[in-house]
């Protein structure tokens, strides 16, 4: 643990107990639980008075509720699972039923004590839950009367559907509007036409938002690993529109997951999965270049165990998973005439990846009114990368280290007419890339194409260069850590009658966050050597032409206090109409570097820039100078309204809709540039054999071999200033927010549920960095080194100046169609189809994420509106499972998309690029010429029952089984030249240059469970 971790955990333990004892109230938010409600009848009349209990079949845990004057009851705070529901009326009549609830569900179950059976509104779909050797069946209740647009992913889907990586978030793609994209270095999740930073993930109610860097989920950016052990996931829910007031810090989608718990039966499993590099097809372009087939061996193994410590009272669950990947990367030269210089550094080298995931949980039912859970997760990974696949040597490699830790302590209290959940949690996420050879001198070998005249060798500092080879120590060294200690209390009153039945939820959250950011870019000295192909001068690599070295920058520690409060009323106006009325407010006191004060020298620099004759004002610079810190944004008020109307009061045909505002946040890495850029200074020193004026440089340093050591360079650079960059963040910048609207209809056809949703979202106040030292889109940049500091009489040490523009907007219009038939053992099959038709547009920078640098335009207002680069017009994700003879089971995911837009450059006559106006060539799959992306994944499972009823399970995965070539990059040069509007079109425009992953891959697995 680092810095404040130990203090945080100590405070967490003490305060959790205090909160638990102090709180006495309501039904928890649906982030990690479910709600069951309904009416108790005697014949046709409602039965007033009495009680209802829900006994979780697997654990024996009991939840109690009371029957109101109108016969209604509400049971809140239920874990997703199978329950025996028992109702006892005031005169002693009883009725029982067994049902299965999904995560986040608000399900309806009517009970008739006269008939002794459930009311007719309940689905007859049967779900199966394994409890040791016993299979318990219960009616799975469809959630129809909800205004949320949500998709539940069950444990059966997580276990059975094909995938290679064991990352449960892959299955978020089963929800319409959500895109999961696999890359060589990371996996991204985006939704609603927005980038990945706009989503949020909750695991057991804990907020896992990335607060400093990209990714949306902490630990996902720049990672090939999994955020959480798949064996510990019970199920999860993806909300893409109209999520209620208890959800925070997301403007596109929420993913909420609940972990598994121990039961009254000892259960566990052991698994191993293996993928050999020979079972993966080669990338088309790698094959065409004649490269050897790259190696990628993947081994995943682990297990889980859970059971009772005290039956019906205290249970445990533990799991461990490990992932090992062995990849080969080839170091080669594009210009083979230089091979003799670097022969020992060429060849194929191994790039390993390793990850460990640990999870543990204790669940304790203190009595029939109180429960306590203690949950802990540990994740550690390292990944050696950033070398090879070209002229970059192994010693330039960087190790990407990641470390996530979390602890959750949760207390639940079930009262008469209310339910309360109090929790305290600690979360830490570390991103720590380090150069494998941090203390070695970097070296960059360069050929100058026009350095060919004369018989003697002369340095040419200003020539056009082509990099021949790069070796030496890497340049990326960072230590970024987010920590938080969070206290939450959610209170729900579920027994309020006034013009209908109300379930009123209220919650408060306080989080103490700490950000630690240390960046050491280019702290390895970066030497450039002038290498010429002529044999008589090839030895010139002995003397470098120059060296660049960044000066050290002190780490930054920032603290941010977060407060969130909400109120949600789910109002059943009558048997057909329900209204969902919510409001939320969030506040952060240091979200965008609010405690920063602009240094005096930067204030003088801004004054000098504004006085430059070529400077054209476009912003009020007074709004970018912080003298006493910035006021925190207080306007994050978020009303949210939804409704559902059951046309025939039978949960078959339901009209639903809603509208709401959803505020996101700005990652600290964005505002951190304001602190880091001016002091992240790089000094470049030019060398020559004798020093002085040489090769066009007025001042060079005579080369001495001692300068190849860090000690020698430190002496050489002592007292130098170097140059940095100025970043200015606007005062009072509003957080990004999205206004969402939707209207839809659900229709059940027996065991099949369908929905059609019309969705609209408008996003405002996204941000980007724009150059301050340029007057319009076609002007020459004002040379900043020409500015003189009036106080010192010397040049300002800044080479660039940027300001934050917060006027980016997005617009998203979509139609979602879902068809869902859950898999059950009795039926022997299940399927889900999600179709998205979307139009997404935006302005601002073409970059997506926290960087958002725009060098094409001086402000967002001057940029065009263009198609969002990450959104397909048409997207279909179909999944399903079917039982086969002899205990075989076949599962599949089919992903089809019409293709993401790309940009055309060189439009003619100096015109601006045509941003994201072109689409890739489409190919056939069932439909002719309809899809640019096609992927069919299969998993075949065979089960054997062995001694004592235990199960041995073999799996075979075939990913992208038809080896479709899904292209990711395209030739964007629209015209051969940029001279005239009728200049010749480039015949290779739009041709692909790279592929999306995965290519065709196979994997085998073995699982033993008891």
């Amino acid at each position: 643990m680092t810095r404040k971790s130990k203090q945080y955990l100590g405070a967490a333990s003490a305060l959790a107990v205090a909160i638990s004892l102090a709180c006495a109230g309501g039904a928890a938010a649906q982030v990690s639980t479910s709600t069951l409600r309904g009416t108790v009848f005697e014949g046709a009349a409602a039965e007033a008075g009495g009680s209802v209990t829900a006994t979780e079949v697997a654990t024996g845990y009991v939840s109690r509720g009371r029957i109101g004057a109108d016969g209604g009851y509400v049971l809140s705070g239920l874990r997703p699972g199978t329950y025996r529901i028992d109702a006892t009326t005031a005169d002693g009549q009883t009725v029982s039923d067994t049902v299965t609830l999904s995560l986040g569900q608000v399900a309806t179950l009517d009970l008739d004590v006269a008939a002794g059976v459930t009311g007719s509104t309940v689905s007859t779909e049967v779900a199966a839950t394994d409890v040791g050797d016993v299979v318990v069946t219960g009616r799975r209740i469809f959630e129809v009367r909800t205004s949320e647009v949500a998709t539940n992913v069950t444990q059966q889907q997580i276990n059975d559907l094909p995938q290679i990586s064991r990352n449960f978030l892959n299955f978020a793609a089963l929800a319409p509007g959500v895109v999961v994209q696999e890359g060589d270095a990371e996996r991204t999740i985006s939704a609603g036409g927005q980038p990945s930073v706009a989503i949020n993930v909750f695991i057991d109610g804990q907020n896992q938002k990335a607060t400093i860097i990209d990714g949306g989920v902490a630990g996902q950016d720049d990672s090939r690993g999994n955020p959480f052990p798949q064996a510990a996931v019970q199920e999860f829910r993806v909300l893409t529109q109209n999520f209620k007031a208890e959800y925070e810090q997301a403007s596109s989608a929420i993913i909420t997951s609940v972990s598994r718990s121990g039961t009254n039966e000892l259960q566990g499993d052991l698994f191993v999965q293996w993928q050999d590099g020979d079972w993966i097809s080669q990338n088309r372009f790698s094959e065409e270049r004649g490269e050897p087939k790259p190696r990628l061996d993947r081994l995943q193994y682990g297990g889980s165990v859970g059971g009772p410590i005290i039956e019906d009272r205290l249970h445990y669950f533990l799991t461990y998973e490990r992932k090992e990947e062995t990849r080969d990367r080839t170091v080669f030269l594009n210009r083979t005439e230089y091979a003799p210089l670097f022969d020992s550094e060429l060849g194929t080298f191994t790039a390993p990846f390793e990850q460990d995931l640990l999870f543990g949980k204790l669940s304790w039912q203190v009595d029939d009114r109180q429960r306590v859970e203690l949950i802990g997760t540990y994740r550690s990974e390292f990944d050696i990368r950033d070398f090879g696949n070209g002229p970059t040597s192994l010693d330039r490699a960087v190790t990407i280290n990641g470390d996530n830790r979390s602890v959750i302590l949760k207390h639940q209290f079930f009262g008469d007419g209310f339910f309360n959940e109090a929790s305290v949690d600690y979360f830490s996420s570390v991103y720590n890339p380090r150069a494998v050879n941090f203390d070695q001198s970097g070296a960059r070998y360069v050929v100058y194409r026009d350095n060919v005249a004369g018989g003697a060798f002369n340095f040419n500092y200003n020539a056009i260069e082509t990099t021949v080879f790069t070796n030496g120590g890497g340049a990326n060294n960072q230590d970024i850590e987010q920590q938080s200690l969070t206290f939450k209390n959610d209170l729900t009153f579920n027994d309020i009658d006034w013009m209908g039945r109300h379930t009123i939820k209220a919650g408060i959250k306080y989080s103490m966050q700490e950000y630690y950011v240390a960046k050491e870019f280019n702290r390895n000295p970066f030497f450039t050597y002038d290498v010429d192909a002529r044999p008589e001068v090839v030895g010139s690599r002995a003397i470098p032409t120059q060296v660049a070295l960044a000066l050290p920058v002190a780490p930054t520690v920032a603290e941010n206090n977060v407060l969130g409060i909400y109120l949600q009323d789910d109002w059943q106006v009558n048997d057909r109409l329900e209204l969902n009325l919510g409001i939320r407010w969030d506040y952060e006191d240091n979200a965008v570097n609010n405690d920063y004060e602009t240094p005096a020298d930067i204030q003088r620099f801004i004054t000098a820039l504004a006085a430059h004759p070529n400077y054209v004002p476009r912003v009020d610079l007074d709004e970018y100078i912080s003298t006493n810190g910035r006021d925190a944004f207080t306007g994050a008020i978020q009303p949210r309204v939804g409704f559902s109307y059951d046309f025939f009061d039978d949960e078959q045909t339901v009209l639903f809709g809603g509208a709401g505002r959803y505020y996101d946040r700005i990652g600290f890495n964005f505002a951190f540039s304001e602190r880091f850029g001016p002091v992240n200074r790089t000094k470049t020193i030019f060398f020559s054999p004798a020093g002085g004026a040489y090769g066009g440089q007025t001042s060079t340093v005579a080369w001495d071999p001692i300068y190849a050591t860090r000690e020698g360079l430190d002496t050489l650079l002592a007292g130098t200033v170097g140059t940095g960059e100025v970043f200015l963040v606007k005062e009072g910048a509003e957080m990004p927010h999205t206004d969402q609207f939707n209207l839809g209809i659900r229709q059940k056809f027996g065991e099949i549920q369908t929905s059609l949703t019309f969705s609209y979202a408008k996003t405002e106040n996204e941000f980007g960095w724009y150059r301050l030292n340029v007057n319009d889109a076609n002007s020459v940049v004002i040379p900043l080194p020409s500015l003189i500091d009036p106080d010192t009489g010397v040049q300002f040490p800044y080479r660039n100046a940027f300001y934050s523009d917060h006027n980016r907007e997005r617009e998203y219009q979509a139609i979602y169609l879902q068809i869902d038939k859950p898999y059950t053992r009795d039926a022997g099959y299940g399927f889900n189809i999600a179709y998205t038709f979307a139009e997404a547009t935006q302005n601002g920078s073409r970059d997506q994420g926290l960087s958002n640098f725009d060098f094409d335009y001086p402000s967002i207002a001057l940029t065009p509106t263009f198609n969002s680069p990450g959104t397909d017009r048409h997207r279909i994700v179909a999944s399903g499972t079917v039982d086969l003879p002899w205990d075989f089971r076949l599962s599949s995911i089919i992903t089809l998309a019409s293709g993401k837009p790309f940009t055309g450059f060189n439009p003619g006559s100096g015109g601006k690029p045509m941003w994201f106006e072109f689409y890739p060539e489409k190919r056939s799959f069932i439909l002719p010429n309809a899809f640019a992306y096609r992927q069919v994944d299969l998993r075949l499972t065979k089960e054997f029952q062995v001694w004592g009823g235990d199960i041995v399970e073999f799996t075979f995965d075939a990913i992208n089984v038809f080896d479709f070539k899904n292209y990711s990059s395209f030739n964007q040069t629209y015209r051969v030249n940029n001279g005239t509007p009728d200049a010749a079109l480039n015949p290779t425009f739009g041709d692909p240059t790279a592929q999306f992953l995965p290519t065709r891959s196979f994997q085998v697995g073995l699982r033993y469970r008891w």
Side-chain angles (χ1 to χ4, degrees):
M1 297 183 185
T2 55
R3 285 170 283 279
K4 293 188 177 180
S5 304
K6 294 181 179 178
Q7 297 93 315
Y8 276 173
L9 287 176
S13 300
L15 193 54
V17 175
I19 290 178
S20 298
L21 294 176
C23 294
Q30 301 299 114
V31 175
S32 60
T33 61
S34 303
T35 296
L36 181 67
R37 65 189 183 186
T39 303
V40 178
F41 294 96
E42 183 178 4
E47 181 69 24
S51 64
V52 177
T53 62
T55 304
E56 188 175 13
V57 174
T59 63
Y61 291 176
V62 177
S63 301
R64 300 184 184 276
R66 63 189 182 188
I67 302 172
D70 63 349
Y73 72 92
V74 178
L75 292 169
S76 300
L78 303 177
R79 278 179 44 82
T82 300
Y83 287 85
R84 188 183 72 248
I85 309 301
D86 299 299
T88 303
T89 64
D91 59 2
Q93 297 184 80
T94 62
V95 62
S96 297
D97 196 9
T98 302
V99 297
T100 297
L101 303 178
S102 299
L103 175 62
Q105 192 174 36
V106 180
T108 301
L109 177 66
D110 294 335
L111 300 165
D112 190 341
V113 295
V117 296
T118 60
S120 61
T121 62
V122 180
S123 166
T124 58
E125 176 71 8
V126 176
T129 301
D130 287 325
V131 184
D133 298 332
V134 181
V135 177
V136 180
T137 59
R139 238 187 314 270
R140 181 179 295 278
I141 303 179
F142 286 117
E143 183 182 22
V144 179
R145 291 180 175 180
T146 177
S147 60
E148 293 179 326
V149 181
T151 302
N152 279 75
V153 181
T154 66
Q155 190 175 121
Q156 177 271 320
Q157 291 172 297
I158 295 170
N159 289 336
D160 285 348
L161 292 179
Q163 68 160 329
I164 294 292
S165 64
R166 292 185 63 85
N167 186 336
F168 79 95
L169 292 179
N170 287 338
F171 300 124
L174 301 181
V178 177
V179 177
V180 178
Q181 194 69 65
E182 179 182 355
D184 182 58
E186 65 183 5
R187 181 174 282 98
T188 60
I189 304 172
S190 58
Q194 300 185 55
S196 60
V197 294
I199 72 166
N200 201 356
V201 170
F202 295 83
I203 298 180
D204 289 321
Q206 184 181 58
N207 186 333
Q208 307 255 324
K209 184 80 170 185
T211 56
I212 301 178
I213 58 178
D214 280 343
V217 189
Q220 280 294 95
D221 184 55
D222 212 16
S223 171
R224 288 205 294 261
N226 304 333
F228 193 75
Q230 179 175 297
V233 179
Q234 178 166 327
E235 61 180 276
F236 69 96
R237 180 177 174 94
V238 184
L239 298 103
T240 50
Q241 281 248 292
N242 206 34
F243 32 96
K244 297 179 184 178
E246 54 259 50
Y247 297 102
E248 59 181 321
Q249 294 184 338
S251 55
S252 64
I254 293 283
I255 300 173
T256 178
S257 169
V258 64
S259 62
R260 292 173 63 188
S261 298
T263 69
N264 281 334
E265 298 290 336
L266 179 64
Q267 295 177 297
D269 75 337
L270 297 171
F271 75 88
V272 61
Q273 292 178 319
W274 169 251
Q275 181 184 55
D276 192 280
D278 291 337
W279 302 346
I280 304 173
S281 66
Q282 188 171 2
N283 177 294
R284 167 197 154 183
F285 300 97
S286 170
E287 187 174 12
E288 289 178 352
R289 289 193 296 265
E291 300 169 6
K293 183 178 179 180
R295 175 189 177 194
L296 171 52
D297 298 336
R298 182 183 285 115
L299 174 65
Q300 299 173 96
Y301 59 90
S304 66
V305 63
I309 299 174
I310 302 173
E311 189 171 328
D312 292 341
R313 288 293 185 184
L314 182 62
H315 302 85
Y316 71 93
F317 184 82
L318 302 169
T319 186
Y320 167 74
E321 295 190 17
R322 180 168 174 82
K323 181 178 182 180
E324 300 175 4
E325 292 184 359
T326 303
R327 299 180 181 229
D328 281 348
R329 300 207 177 262
T330 303
V331 180
F332 59 89
L333 293 178
N334 293 319
R335 302 188 60 171
T336 57
E337 64 267 32
Y338 294 100
L341 285 174
F342 313 107
D343 186 63
S344 63
E345 298 173 89
L346 304 180
T348 301
F349 304 91
T350 298
F353 170 86
E354 297 180 8
Q355 182 185 53
D356 292 292
L357 291 166
L358 285 165
F359 172 83
K361 185 177 189 178
L362 283 174
S363 305
W364 178 28
Q365 175 149 309
V366 182
D367 52 41
D368 62 359
R369 288 187 179 271
Q370 296 185 81
R371 293 181 196 167
V372 175
E373 284 188 334
L374 178 63
I375 305 168
T377 307
Y378 171 76
R379 168 190 177 187
S380 179
E381 65 182 49
F382 83 92
D383 183 9
I384 295 180
R385 63 167 72 163
D386 295 347
F387 75 93
N389 293 340
T392 303
S393 72
L394 174 62
D395 58 8
R396 288 286 290 177
V398 172
T399 299
I400 306 294
N401 304 298
D403 188 303
N404 280 19
R405 308 178 188 207
S406 73
V407 178
I408 305 170
L409 183 60
K410 186 183 300 184
H411 175 268
Q412 296 177 327
F413 184 83
F414 298 81
D416 293 331
F418 67 87
F419 169 76
N420 192 79
E421 182 175 273
S423 68
V424 57
D425 70 73
Y426 167 78
F427 184 74
S428 167
S429 181
V430 176
Y431 172 70
N432 180 222
R434 307 295 295 176
V436 173
N437 298 314
F438 181 66
D439 292 323
Q440 292 190 13
S441 296
R444 184 185 185 195
Y445 298 92
V446 173
V447 59
Y448 290 110
R449 290 195 289 265
D450 59 350
N451 185 20
V452 294
F457 179 73
N458 293 304
F459 290 2
N460 189 340
Y461 298 97
N462 300 313
I464 299 172
E465 64 180 46
T466 299
T467 300
V468 173
F469 197 69
T470 306
N471 63 3
N476 185 7
N477 294 277
Q478 301 181 66
D479 187 4
I480 297 176
E481 179 178 3
Q482 66 175 75
Q483 291 189 92
S484 62
L485 181 63
T486 303
F487 307 96
K488 293 196 303 182
N489 195 81
D490 295 294
L491 173 64
T492 301
F493 297 97
N494 49 31
D495 195 10
I496 298 176
D497 291 322
W498 178 77
M499 298 180 66
R501 188 183 305 164
H502 297 260
T503 300
I504 297 179
K505 308 174 187 178
I508 185 168
K509 162 193 168 178
Y510 172 62
S511 183
M512 297 182 294
Q513 299 180 351
E514 181 184 271
Y515 310 143
Y516 177 85
V517 182
K519 296 186 179 184
E520 297 181 287
F521 295 136
N522 299 316
R523 282 292 293 145
N524 268 326
F526 202 71
F527 290 90
T528 298
Y529 290 79
D530 195 347
V531 182
D532 196 284
R534 289 170 294 151
E536 67 269 24
V537 295
V538 77
S540 63
R541 64 176 288 182
I543 300 177
T545 63
Q546 66 187 57
V547 63
L549 180 67
L551 303 180
V553 180
T556 292
V557 178
E559 295 181 348
N560 183 33
N561 294 292
V562 180
L563 179 65
I565 58 175
Y566 75 88
L567 182 66
Q568 178 76 40
D569 181 7
D570 294 336
W571 178 11
Q572 290 179 271
V573 180
N574 53 46
D575 291 340
R576 299 188 181 191
L577 177 64
E578 178 169 336
L579 301 179
N580 308 115
L581 310 175
I583 190 165
R584 181 178 186 91
W585 178 72
D586 290 300
Y587 170 81
E588 299 184 53
D589 69 358
N590 194 23
V592 285
N593 214 15
N594 295 80
D595 59 0
Y596 176 79
E597 295 184 3
T598 308
D601 65 318
I602 294 181
Q603 295 187 46
R604 297 196 303 272
F605 166 78
I606 296 304
T607 300
L609 176 62
H612 193 280
N614 289 333
Y615 177 74
V616 175
R618 75 179 61 88
V619 296
D620 183 355
L621 291 175
D622 290 339
E623 295 182 351
Y624 289 83
I625 303 298
S626 175
T627 55
N628 295 304
R630 301 187 180 95
D631 293 334
F633 178 62
T634 59
I637 300 172
Q638 302 157 76
R640 303 175 187 183
V641 178
F643 79 93
S644 65
Y645 184 77
D646 188 344
F647 282 102
F648 307 109
D649 191 22
D650 58 0
E651 297 193 0
Q652 297 295 309
T653 307
V654 175
L655 181 71
F656 65 93
R661 171 161 290 190
Y662 303 87
Y663 273 94
D664 209 329
R665 66 187 315 280
I666 297 176
F668 186 75
N669 202 42
F670 178 83
F672 173 74
S673 297
E674 189 176 37
R675 294 176 180 262
F676 181 71
V679 295
N680 178 35
R681 298 178 181 175
T682 299
K683 179 67 176 180
T684 301
I685 294 176
F686 297 94
F687 296 112
S688 66
Y694 193 86
Q697 288 291 322
T698 58
S699 178
T700 66
V701 173
W703 171 252
D704 188 312
I706 194 174
Y707 297 146
T709 67
R710 182 171 294 278
E711 294 78 10
L713 276 177
D714 285 343
T715 301
L716 183 64
L717 294 172
T720 60
V721 176
T723 58
E725 297 179 312
V726 172
F727 291 83
L728 302 175
V729 176
K730 185 178 181 180
E731 296 281 314
E734 183 176 340
M735 297 297 101
H737 72 261
T738 298
D739 293 319
Q740 295 183 359
F741 308 90
N742 68 83
L743 182 67
I745 190 166
R746 295 188 184 91
Q747 178 65 56
K748 285 171 58 177
F749 300 95
E751 298 176 354
I752 298 174
Q753 179 165 309
T754 66
S755 67
L756 181 67
T757 307
F758 298 87
S759 170
Y760 175 82
K762 179 65 177 293
T763 302
E764 296 179 321
N765 300 320
E766 284 194 16
F767 46 86
W769 289 119
Y770 286 78
R771 291 181 296 179
L772 194 62
N773 54 316
V774 60
N775 56 13
D776 60 51
N778 297 316
S779 70
V780 177
V781 176
I782 299 170
L784 296 184
S786 64
L787 298 180
I788 304 298
D789 188 335
D791 285 12
T792 63
V794 300
Q795 293 179 347
F796 285 104
Y798 308 119
R799 61 185 182 274
N800 287 308
F802 300 92
Y803 72 98
S804 69
D805 192 331
H806 298 256
N807 294 307
R808 174 189 269 184
E809 297 181 354
R810 299 176 187 269
E811 193 168 16
Y812 181 75
Q813 302 174 74
I815 298 174
Y816 299 152
L817 173 64
Q818 277 190 288
I819 306 173
D820 184 36
K821 161 55 176 78
Y823 168 87
T824 63
R825 292 186 179 182
D826 286 349
Y829 74 97
F831 62 88
N832 178 278
I833 300 173
Y835 166 69
T836 305
F837 170 78
E839 293 185 352
T841 57
Q842 65 181 82
N843 61 1
S845 169
R846 288 171 286 153
D847 291 335
Q848 307 292 309
L850 292 179
S851 297
N852 290 334
F853 283 93
D854 191 350
F855 292 95
D856 295 292
Y857 291 89
S859 70
I860 290 177
L862 296 175
T863 66
T865 296
F866 54 91
N867 296 317
S868 295
T871 302
D872 301 281
R873 183 67 58 86
H874 301 274
R875 187 173 184 85
I876 300 171
V877 180
S879 66
T881 300
V882 60
D883 291 341
L884 302 176
W886 303 295
D887 292 326
F888 281 96
R889 190 165 60 250
L890 180 65
S891 299
S892 178
I893 299 178
I894 301 173
T895 305
L896 307 169
S898 58
K900 297 176 174 61
F902 61 91
T903 299
F905 293 94
N906 289 0
S909 295
K912 284 295 180 181
M914 294 177 285
W915 284 8
F916 303 103
E917 293 186 7
F918 303 96
Y919 288 84
E921 181 182 355
K922 295 178 176 59
R923 292 169 171 81
S924 300
F925 184 90
I926 301 177
L927 300 176
N929 301 319
F931 306 109
Y933 187 97
R934 303 165 296 168
Q935 182 174 327
V936 178
D937 303 335
L938 300 174
R939 170 173 288 184
L940 185 65
T941 303
K942 167 64 176 174
E943 290 187 354
F944 296 90
Q945 191 169 35
V946 294
W947 53 90
D950 296 349
I951 300 295
V952 174
E953 182 181 270
F954 293 94
T955 59
F956 174 74
D957 290 278
I959 305 300
N960 193 5
V961 65
F962 297 115
D963 203 18
F964 289 128
K965 305 299 188 289
N966 297 313
Y967 298 116
S968 59
S969 298
F970 304 89
N971 186 324
Q972 298 179 50
T973 304
Y974 185 66
R975 297 185 185 276
V976 175
N977 61 65
N978 204 23
T980 62
D982 58 353
L985 295 179
N986 179 11
T988 62
F989 173 75
D991 288 354
T993 62
Q995 276 183 246
F996 280 119
L997 293 177
T999 57
R1000 181 167 54 204
S1001 310
F1002 301 114
Q1003 178 177 264
V1004 294
L1006 174 65
R1007 183 185 180 204
Y1008 171 70
R1009 53 189 172 94
W1010 66 91

